[in-house]
Amino acid sequence: MADLDNTDRTLLRLLQQDGTLALAELAEAVNLTTTPCWKRLKRLEENGILRQRVALLDPVKLGVSFTAFVQIKTSNHSKEWYHCFVATVSDFPEVMEFYRMAGEYDYMMKVQVADMAAFDKFYKKLVNSIEGLTNVTSTFAMEPLKYTTALPV
């Protein structure tokens, strides 16, 4: 774990809540002047702790509130196949998260689309884009109960 003090942790918590906070607001919140606050933020960025600042969008208002979790088994575990698979799946804009797993399934992804018809289109594109998939199982979220991008710091 990175060597963070309470001021660093507070800055990270504030930015996770609102990435648009001005430097002056952040500095005031942690009882610093702007220059040392800026230096801390710069160090957090350079160390890769603060990776990027983004806007979180509302999937319902954008018409992509259908969430599917796709689990995949494969018979091919070669390095070449893996790189091809990762590159192919990474190009799908519907895939929000993508993981290599331990356990029964080899891979899992979170997919965000408009509805079941859009998911079916995605599914067909996925299974026809890569060879070696032996089992593709999907489950569908009925209601989001908790969603956060904030890490516990």
Side-chain angles (χ1 to χ4, degrees), residues 4-147:
L4 302 174
D5 64 16
N6 286 335
T7 302
D8 292 333
R9 292 176 190 284
T10 300
L11 284 170
L12 293 171
R13 279 193 293 274
L14 289 167
L15 287 171
Q16 286 188 110
Q17 292 170 7
D18 184 356
T20 66
L21 287 172
L23 179 60
E25 293 172 294
L26 289 168
E28 182 179 337
V30 295
N31 297 316
L32 291 174
T33 59
T34 55
T35 300
C37 184
W38 178 83
K39 287 180 179 179
R40 281 177 178 265
L41 293 173
K42 190 75 173 155
R43 180 178 44 82
L44 291 168
E45 289 173 345
E46 288 170 355
N47 290 338
I49 294 167
L50 182 55
R51 293 192 326 202
Q52 68 187 108
R53 300 177 202 194
V54 299
L56 299 178
L57 308 180
D58 187 325
V60 173
K61 292 181 179 175
L62 292 172
V64 289
S65 61
F66 188 88
T67 305
F69 295 93
V70 180
Q71 295 175 300
I72 296 172
K73 290 182 183 180
T74 181
S75 58
N76 193 337
H77 296 279
S78 72
K79 184 178 180 179
E80 296 78 20
W81 182 90
Y82 168 80
H83 289 296
C84 180
F85 180 58
V86 170
T88 300
V89 171
S90 296
D91 282 343
F92 286 83
E94 303 92 341
V95 176
M96 306 305 298
E97 299 176 46
F98 182 35
Y99 302 93
R100 188 171 59 86
M101 306 295 291
E104 185 177 349
Y105 288 90
D106 299 311
Y107 300 93
M108 184 171 77
M109 61 185 79
K110 177 183 175 186
V111 176
Q112 207 71 40
V113 291
D115 52 26
M116 182 59 82
F119 178 77
D120 186 49
K121 183 178 176 181
F122 163 82
Y123 175 88
K124 289 173 183 171
K125 186 169 64 167
L126 173 69
V127 298
N128 289 310
S129 295
I130 194 90
E131 304 235 353
L133 305 180
T134 58
N135 185 341
V136 180
T137 301
S138 303
T139 56
F140 308 101
M142 295 176 60
E143 175 185 16
L145 301 175
K146 179 180 179 180
Y147 171 80

